[in-house]
Amino acid sequence: MFCLCSIVYVMLFASSFSLIGLLTVFLLLRQLIKKQKNNRRSNNDNDKYVALFHPYCNAGGGGERVLWCAVRALQNKYDGIKIFIYTGDLEATPKQILDKAERTFNLNLDVKRIKFVYLKKRKWVEAKRYPMFTLLGQSLGSMFLAMEALLKLQPDVFIDTMGYAFTYPIFSYIGGCKIGCYTHYPTISTDMLRRVQNNVNTYNNQGYVAKNPFATWLKIVYYRLFSKIYGMVGRCADTVMVNSTWTENHIISLWDVPYKTHRVYPPCEVAHLKKLQSLASAHEKIIILSVGQFRPEKDHPLQLQAMYELRTLLGKDEALWNRLRLMIVGSCRDEEDRERVKNMQDLAKHLSLENSVEFRVNVSYQELIQCYQIASIGLHAMWNEHFGISVVDCMAAGLIMVANRSGGPLMDIVETSEGSRNGYLALDAYDYARYIATILYNGREYNKKIREAARASVDRFSEVEFENGFLRAISTILDDKEFT
Ligand SMILES: *[C@@H]1O[C@H](CO)[C@@H](O)[C@H](O)[C@H]1NC(C)=O
Ligand SMILES: *[C@@H]1O[C@H](CO)[C@@H](O)[C@H](O)[C@H]1NC(C)=O
Ligand SMILES: *[C@@H]1O[C@H](CO)[C@@H](O)[C@H](O)[C@H]1NC(C)=O
């Protein structure tokens, strides 16, 4: 009895001791950061330090377009700030990174006013380091990376543009920063939870977990717990931006701070597509264009079925049918994709559509532009796409879209109420056929109105709109006069 008590006492003592230790380290670090910021001020450096956290800033993808457009917007609006970028791209010099950004995204940046802070511990956030508990591993890893970043540079305002929410408490509580973030995708989503609950086999739900009820239960507990913690760290942000309605819904249900969550669509390159001259009326065929990789979720078989239904619908109007052509444009990534194209060609033959369907694999950008020019109708069949950049592109190029009634096309892109219609939303193959027929029989004036509405509506996704939205959301933390 005595023995047990003493063990408990020792354990209590040890744990409170380590808690006190942790607290001391925390307070010391906080003091250190504060001191360094004060040193700056006493050296007459009164600029606000704004640091953007983007460990993969040299990648040249859509996320990086957001980063660099944000930097440009900040530079254009604010004078008394210094901009820093936390990056893990050790192999690239600042000049190389900036040159690539300007070239890739066609931007002019004030390069002298951008400084880089190189982080050596980016490997801590790589997924392949954590074969098990990947989410948790990466998240804790990002906290270490954040500590490295904070010790190298102490900003006044911290903006995360890659979705590393676990860095916010570090910068907020230890660094005393105001926190802003731009989230493309929640780290965990309710869809992931549902998939485990339904015992589905997917890439992050390995076979043995799906089969074993105990493992499934454990995984659900793990996901639940993780999403609780994700909510706690996310709430440390002072202003939150999300890239679409889909992301907005998820972030609001996870972080539960709707009053500081702003939907700011990412900047899409639509200006040049909007200027394209349509050559459709001069073309002998009426081209229906479908753009997308040959991946299963793009549902190309449905598009063929829609054509099959369309032939039935048009019935006696054989002349019209003979003028129609479905042009399926897409790229193949691997052998599997090529196999899919082959199967689709077989299906087209099977439905006797081989003269009405044309496949174009791996076309160049120039050829794609030509396709946009000669086409008059666009087809999109993916179910629950989070956004649908290909739909936006088609609309910018002046096509009338028939898209799946779900996901981004439904929530963000296509408007179907009479008076402001800019496209059509369909549910199944018959629906698609019906809407294509409707467009074919619409008056010329009415179609022109839809086309113009579509082209005007994509301005919501332009660089200008992005910059306005970004500055509006960030002004809540940047216009704040007091320094922390
Ligand atoms: C938001 O980001 C996700 C993940 O990168 C992407 O799938 C989605 O298309 C983006 N939404 C928009 C509006 O670009
Ligand atoms: C298309 O391009 C990909 C990647 O560039 C390549 O792997 C594939 O072989 C190409 N497919 C065809 C049919 O040319
Ligand atoms: C289109 O969307 C509807 C409603 O969301 C869905 O039931 C249907 O399966 C989708 N169609 C395709 C081809 O994905």
Side-chain angles (χ1 to χ4, degrees):
M1 195 59 207
F2 171 76
C3 183
L4 201 67
C5 271
S6 57
I7 289 177
V8 169
Y9 277 128
V10 167
M11 271 168 65
L12 269 177
F13 189 70
S15 58
S16 51
F17 206 72
S18 51
L19 208 69
I20 291 172
L22 220 65
L23 210 68
T24 318
V25 171
F26 167 77
L27 287 173
L28 278 178
L29 275 173
R30 206 174 127 121
Q31 231 27 54
L32 177 79
I33 306 284
K34 203 163 182 178
K35 190 150 155 267
Q36 270 166 336
K37 283 196 199 179
N38 285 340
N39 279 349
R40 214 150 75 201
R41 311 265 182 264
S42 48
N43 283 339
N44 262 339
D45 181 358
N46 284 321
D47 281 347
K48 235 180 224 198
Y49 280 28
V50 179
L52 291 104
F53 190 77
H54 204 110
Y56 294 87
C57 76
N58 202 24
E64 287 66 51
R65 182 191 288 280
V66 165
L67 168 72
W68 297 114
C69 284
V71 168
R72 186 180 57 176
L74 287 169
Q75 287 191 325
N76 287 346
K77 172 153 179 207
Y78 294 98
D79 278 330
I81 62 170
K82 283 204 173 74
I83 292 183
F84 296 87
I85 304 206
Y86 289 123
T87 176
D89 293 304
L90 300 173
E91 70 294 341
T93 65
K95 183 165 177 344
Q96 285 169 336
I97 297 176
L98 289 167
D99 280 351
K100 180 170 170 186
E102 290 195 315
R103 217 169 347 99
T104 314
F105 304 121
N106 193 21
L107 292 173
N108 274 319
L109 298 164
D110 185 355
V111 295
K112 285 201 278 311
R113 280 170 64 205
I114 303 174
K115 301 232 156 26
F116 288 85
V117 180
Y118 284 91
L119 306 178
K120 295 217 177 66
K121 305 225 158 37
R122 187 174 77 184
K123 50 182 182 299
W124 284 93
V125 297
E126 283 166 10
K128 62 172 192 287
R129 258 187 104 88
Y130 312 100
M132 307 266 290
F133 300 104
T134 313
L135 289 178
L136 192 66
Q138 279 185 297
S139 301
L140 292 179
S142 73
M143 293 177 105
F144 282 110
L145 191 62
M147 261 333 288
E148 184 196 358
L150 184 56
L151 289 174
K152 285 193 167 148
L153 175 94
Q154 303 78 39
D156 301 299
V157 171
F158 172 82
I159 304 172
D160 158 50
T161 41
M162 280 195 78
Y164 288 112
F166 281 73
T167 60
Y168 310 165
I170 303 269
F171 276 88
S172 173
Y173 293 121
I174 302 181
C177 308
K178 290 275 183 206
I179 312 283
C181 65
Y182 190 97
T183 305
H184 292 269
Y185 197 84
T187 304
I188 186 161
S189 70
T190 34
D191 300 6
M192 276 160 88
L193 253 173
R194 202 171 318 123
R195 269 200 297 272
V196 187
Q197 266 158 351
N198 299 342
N199 285 348
V200 191
N201 243 321
T202 56
Y203 65 97
N204 58 0
N205 194 16
Q206 296 163 6
Y208 65 87
V209 175
K211 279 191 211 84
N212 183 336
F214 180 67
T216 304
W217 177 80
L218 252 179
K219 186 141 193 186
I220 290 173
V221 171
Y222 164 58
Y223 272 15
R224 287 253 165 84
L225 208 67
F226 186 84
S227 49
K228 279 269 179 305
I229 305 175
Y230 183 57
M232 274 156 50
V233 296
R235 279 190 284 279
C236 294
D238 299 289
T239 184
V240 177
M241 284 169 269
V242 289
N243 80 346
S244 62
T245 308
W246 185 88
T247 308
E248 184 179 20
N249 293 340
H250 281 85
I251 287 294
I252 285 182
S253 80
L254 288 159
W255 295 3
D256 196 25
V257 282
Y259 51 92
K260 51 184 182 187
T261 304
H262 311 264
R263 190 187 335 138
V264 179
Y265 292 115
C268 304
E269 266 249 313
V270 288
H272 67 290
L273 288 176
K274 282 188 71 175
K275 289 199 209 97
L276 276 190
Q277 204 72 35
S278 173
L279 306 173
S281 50
H283 207 264
E284 50 169 334
K285 296 270 184 202
I286 301 173
I287 309 275
I288 303 171
L289 184 67
S290 158
V291 184
Q293 289 173 326
F294 288 100
R295 287 185 292 160
E297 60 271 25
K298 298 283 178 191
D299 213 340
H300 290 101
L302 175 112
Q303 302 178 13
L304 296 178
Q305 272 156 22
M307 284 304 277
Y308 181 82
E309 295 283 346
L310 183 61
R311 181 170 52 196
T312 318
L313 264 182
L314 295 183
K316 297 220 166 49
D317 206 342
E318 215 165 297
L320 181 59
W321 170 253
N322 288 333
R323 283 185 63 205
L324 286 178
R325 168 153 296 180
L326 173 62
M327 198 180 262
I328 301 185
V329 177
S331 53
C332 281
R333 297 159 304 171
D334 49 26
E335 196 49 53
E336 256 176 73
D337 286 356
R338 267 193 293 277
E339 187 68 33
R340 248 189 297 279
V341 176
K342 184 89 199 5
N343 289 341
M344 229 97 67
Q345 281 162 336
D346 290 344
L347 179 62
K349 272 215 191 75
H350 178 74
L351 300 172
S352 349
L353 291 170
E354 63 268 36
N355 297 323
S356 310
V357 180
E358 184 182 329
F359 289 89
R360 295 213 177 172
V361 183
N362 277 6
V363 299
S364 70
Y365 187 68
Q366 262 324 309
E367 288 169 281
L368 179 63
I369 292 287
Q370 280 163 6
C371 293
Y372 282 138
Q373 285 185 297
I374 57 173
S376 42
I377 299 176
L379 211 55
H380 162 272
M382 181 171 163
W383 180 60
N384 254 347
E385 180 149 38
H386 296 161
F387 185 61
I389 191 74
S390 67
V391 179
V392 173
D393 283 347
C394 284
M395 283 165 69
L399 309 195
I400 300 184
M401 279 309 293
V402 185
N404 187 274
R405 185 185 285 281
S406 66
L410 173 67
M411 292 189 288
D412 294 310
I413 307 174
V414 179
E415 177 63 56
T416 56
S417 56
E418 260 345 288
S420 50
R421 178 185 289 286
N422 62 15
Y424 292 85
L425 293 169
L427 277 174
D428 54 26
Y430 178 74
D431 233 18
Y432 278 95
R434 201 160 55 90
Y435 284 131
I436 294 172
T438 305
I439 297 168
L440 293 173
Y441 288 121
N442 272 345
R444 188 186 288 266
E445 273 310 304
Y446 188 63
N447 276 345
K448 189 162 160 245
K449 224 176 94 192
I450 299 179
R451 252 181 255 288
E452 281 166 3
R455 279 191 138 163
S457 74
V458 298
D459 283 340
R460 286 174 297 161
F461 314 115
S462 64
E463 279 181 8
V464 177
E465 271 306 302
F466 167 78
E467 293 192 1
N468 291 340
F470 180 83
L471 289 174
R472 209 175 303 130
I474 220 72
S475 67
T476 55
I477 56 172
L478 250 179
D479 291 353
D480 199 355
K481 281 281 168 283
E482 76 169 305
F483 285 119
T484 37

